[in-house]
Amino acid sequence: MEAVIKAGGKQQRVKAGDVIEVELMKGIGDSVEFTPLLVIDDDGATHAGKNAAGATVTAKPMGEKKGDKVRVLRFRPKTGYNSQIGHRQQYTLLEIVEVKLGAAAKKKAAPKSTAKKESTAKKAPAKAPAKAGEAGDQG
């Protein structure tokens, strides 16, 4: 089962066993629960919005990590101005333990018919191309 969760202003697609990096989370306990935006069950059916009500994604914190250093250089020619700063984002590592679908969503997950409905509307006949030398054709 897979899910799309929102953490730190970003959305990530996760499944059980994945290790993800999210922005630093202070004061978290032994586990973190997320409410998923979208759940894809084992049958391939998607559940979103009210259909995914009651679904949870449980994660276990594994530690903290620093990201790559980003250097910012500002330079203005002929003025003697230059400044250089750096930034290193801190992340929390989370291991996804479980993706669970709510009981209400499991009941609603009935297989849908894949047969296409035939259109009963009649198509308009195509117009015949204009012949050379008729009105409106000036050469």
Side-chain angles (χ1 to χ4, degrees), residues 57-126:
V57 175
T58 307
K60 177 178 72 172
M62 296 185 65
E64 295 176 359
K65 171 186 170 181
K66 284 187 177 182
D68 295 335
K69 182 169 274 196
V70 177
R71 295 202 172 266
V72 179
L73 175 67
R74 295 180 181 150
F75 176 77
R76 301 286 181 260
K78 302 176 190 170
T79 60
Y81 172 79
N82 63 359
S83 91
Q84 182 175 1
I85 59 173
H87 174 72
R88 217 166 159 191
Q89 183 69 39
Q90 294 186 347
Y91 295 106
T92 299
L93 295 174
L94 296 175
E95 180 183 6
I96 306 299
V97 177
E98 180 183 31
V99 178
K100 186 169 53 173
L101 193 58
K106 287 181 183 177
K107 292 178 184 176
K108 291 181 182 178
K112 294 183 178 178
S113 173
T114 57
K116 293 182 180 180
K117 294 181 181 178
E118 293 185 20
S119 176
T120 57
K122 294 182 180 178
K123 293 183 179 179

Side-chain angles (χ1 to χ4, degrees), residues 33-48:
E33 285 198 0
F34 295 100
T35 303
L37 303 172
L38 175 84
V39 178
I40 303 169
D41 62 11
D42 295 330
D43 299 331
T46 58
H47 306 277

